[in-house]
Amino acid sequence: MYWEQTVQSAVETDIGLRRKNNEDSSCAYHCPEEVAWRKTGHLFVVCDGMGGHAVGELASRLAVETVTHTFLKSSQSDPAKSLHQAIVAANQVVHSKGSQNADFHQMGTTCTTLALTSRGAIVGHIGDSRAYRLRRDRIDQLTFDHSLEWEFERKHGNLDGIVNLAQHRNVITRSLGPDSLIDVDIEGPIPILPGDTFLLCSDGLSNQVDDPEIGAILRELPPKQAARLLVHLANIRGGPDNSTVVIARVGDLPANVAPSNVEIEEDDDRFQLGWGWLLGYWAAAMFLVAGIAMLMFNKQVQGAVTTGLSVIGLVALIIGTVRQRRSQVVHTPDESHTRIFRPHRTAVSLPSKDLFERLATIDSELQRSAREDGWDVSWNDHGKSVTAAEEAAKDRRYGKAVREIAKAVCLIMDALPRKGTAKIAGD
Ligand code: CA
């Protein structure tokens, strides 16, 4: 992508209806200057902490802070490596905090990160929070869930109807914090097209709202409204967990802006010869010239010895150089667990009659509760949206119908009395 392409983002987090703490943390960082952006990229993070009480909250907050700080200060020119280093650094911070006292023993967090860079989108990930990309009418899950369910399926194939792992949905197989060493998935760089919309979320959202719904809502609504509706939907369906959504939509390149050249910088770890080696080559070359000169001036013995020795020296230097280069390549850590991009799951996500009717049912159930309990809703605006939605649905314009009914649902949910005992639809 180009620096000139704007990125519209939105962050929404909610404690849910069952938990006492919000253990999710997140951030959306937009580089303010082009030079900084070329080096790193815009950064988006979602972490879902675990460990109970305030421990999970601390783990996810430490992870977001460390990832952001380390990534933005990195001296690497490859943002994929910077992202990997940042997640490893966050693991060290959370792990050492977790080792400090017994109360922090179970401390851990998921960590899903997205960098929008000049090379493309790069995803760094551990745990079962998710990163999605919406492109036109398709939603792709860019991350692999490190959960028992997904790992089991990867190993044994699709076990639908044979083994039911749904009750173990929350068991995660990899996370940041419990171990001193971690295995991080890096995906990408993934080419970015204008209009691509990325979404990161915690499982509090993805367990309640399915991929086609997430995609259709993301497609039809601006990021801020989409994020709000998604979090509301998680709560409407019981809100058993904290839910967090971070959305980043990449805009078009403005028509009056000529794109600057995208420079792909060389890697820092390219092979370089030290001064000692260069001096060796220079000395061997000098001896070779001297030897040849002696041969030309009839000093056959001295010339042959000097030339022979310099040739042996040059061969030894070349062998040494090749060996050193190999050892550098071998010792470069393979920091990118997965560099070839392929979505892990994909679904068609279009606004449909079915989605409209689902939202309309939610709206009418919410309406009943809200009117009975006297919630402070702007009923005039609500009525206008419902009418517009119904008219659009009659004309089979389901995009407009979904947008309008979404507005109506949000108007009611924004007025939900959170500390009261109000019953909500689906609860
Ligand atoms: Ca969670």
Side-chain angles (χ1 to χ4, degrees):
M1 71 177 274
Y2 295 106
W3 160 252
E4 287 82 0
Q5 283 172 283
T6 53
V7 175
Q8 226 184 327
S9 72
V11 178
E12 200 71 47
T13 187
D14 195 277
I15 192 169
L17 303 176
R18 299 278 180 271
R19 298 285 177 96
K20 288 186 177 151
N21 295 67
N22 189 344
E23 300 187 355
D24 291 352
S25 294
S26 56
C27 95
Y29 179 84
H30 294 248
C31 280
E33 287 167 1
E34 184 175 0
V35 177
W37 177 77
R38 284 198 173 282
K39 206 165 174 302
T40 56
H42 304 307
L43 182 69
F44 306 88
V45 187
V46 166
C47 292
D48 176 355
M50 62 202 88
H53 303 296
V55 176
E57 211 174 308
L58 179 63
S60 66
R61 187 163 48 79
L62 281 176
V64 168
E65 285 171 4
T66 312
V67 164
T68 312
H69 179 81
T70 314
F71 179 72
L72 298 174
K73 297 276 174 222
S74 173
S75 58
Q76 287 274 0
S77 58
D78 180 350
K81 286 181 182 163
S82 306
L83 203 52
H84 183 272
Q85 278 179 354
I87 296 172
V88 168
N91 183 61
Q92 282 160 359
V93 170
V94 177
H95 181 70
S96 71
K97 191 83 188 168
S99 314
Q100 274 174 15
N101 74 50
D103 291 343
F104 293 164
H105 186 57
Q106 297 296 324
M107 186 183 240
T109 180
T110 69
C111 187
T112 300
T113 59
L114 164 77
L116 297 180
T117 78
S118 59
R119 299 175 187 217
I122 298 161
V123 176
H125 162 74
I126 184 161
D128 67 347
S129 299
R130 290 180 174 177
Y132 292 97
R133 179 193 63 189
L134 175 86
R135 181 173 285 174
R136 292 185 282 275
D137 56 1
R138 189 161 280 277
I139 184 164
D140 296 318
Q141 187 177 337
L142 309 179
T143 47
F144 181 92
D145 284 5
H146 298 133
S147 67
L148 199 59
E149 198 180 0
W150 277 54
E151 299 280 9
F152 212 78
E153 199 175 310
R154 172 148 74 179
K155 215 169 171 189
H156 303 287
N158 194 334
L159 296 168
D160 274 357
I162 305 168
V163 179
N164 184 8
L165 290 168
Q167 69 270 38
H168 305 296
R169 207 177 221 177
N170 294 331
V171 179
I172 64 172
T173 50
R174 277 199 241 166
S175 64
L176 198 147
D179 300 309
S180 57
L181 294 174
I182 51 163
D183 192 7
V184 180
D185 283 358
I186 298 285
E187 307 276 0
I190 305 162
I192 302 171
L193 294 183
D196 277 355
T197 306
F198 296 87
L199 179 142
L200 312 185
C201 67
S202 59
D203 66 340
L205 180 87
S206 54
N207 284 343
Q208 305 304 323
V209 188
D210 63 27
D211 293 3
E213 279 180 317
I214 293 176
I217 288 165
L218 210 51
R219 188 179 189 271
E220 292 308 320
L221 300 176
K224 215 173 174 53
Q225 283 156 259
R228 253 176 61 212
L229 179 66
L230 288 169
V231 165
H232 284 329
L233 276 181
N235 285 337
I236 287 164
R237 291 170 180 170
D241 195 0
N242 316 134
S243 52
T244 298
V245 181
V246 173
I247 297 174
R249 176 165 295 163
V250 180
D252 291 324
L253 188 66
N256 58 344
V257 174
S260 49
N261 290 326
V262 179
E263 293 161 19
I264 306 290
E265 291 170 30
E266 292 292 321
D267 280 356
D268 281 345
D269 58 0
R270 67 193 165 201
F271 179 70
Q272 281 183 336
L273 274 182
W275 280 106
W277 288 92
L278 293 175
L279 204 63
Y281 275 107
W282 178 82
M286 285 296 109
F287 273 101
L288 184 63
V289 170
I292 293 168
M294 286 175 194
L295 287 171
M296 286 170 71
F297 289 102
N298 289 328
K299 294 187 173 176
Q300 302 294 340
V301 179
Q302 296 96 318
V305 170
T306 311
T307 307
L309 285 175
S310 62
V311 168
I312 291 169
L314 270 173
V315 170
L317 280 164
I318 290 166
I319 292 170
T321 306
V322 170
R323 280 193 178 164
Q324 208 195 26
R325 183 182 161 79
R326 274 193 192 151
S327 75
Q328 275 194 19
V329 171
V330 169
H331 288 113
T332 299
D334 180 16
E335 290 166 335
S336 309
H337 185 69
T338 318
R339 294 295 294 273
I340 300 164
F341 167 67
R342 63 179 173 86
H344 293 280
R345 273 188 191 174
T346 188
V348 173
S349 53
L350 285 166
S352 59
K353 184 181 179 198
D354 182 49
L355 177 62
F356 163 70
E357 284 175 351
R358 240 177 294 157
L359 292 174
T361 307
I362 287 170
D363 180 68
S364 53
E365 286 175 9
L366 279 173
Q367 221 185 117
R368 207 168 40 238
S369 302
R371 285 190 194 274
E372 273 172 20
D373 295 344
W375 299 1
D376 186 18
V377 178
S378 166
W379 290 115
N380 195 23
D381 292 344
H382 178 269
K384 280 184 198 164
S385 290
V386 172
T387 309
E390 284 168 351
E391 279 172 9
K394 255 186 234 161
D395 299 341
R396 297 182 180 184
R397 288 181 292 130
Y398 293 114
K400 165 107 172 148
V402 165
R403 287 195 295 278
E404 291 296 338
I405 203 70
K407 249 188 245 170
V409 169
C410 284
L411 277 169
I412 300 182
M413 284 303 287
D414 286 345
L416 172 72
R418 296 307 293 267
K419 288 195 173 172
T421 52
K423 254 177 90 70
I424 64 166
D427 191 4

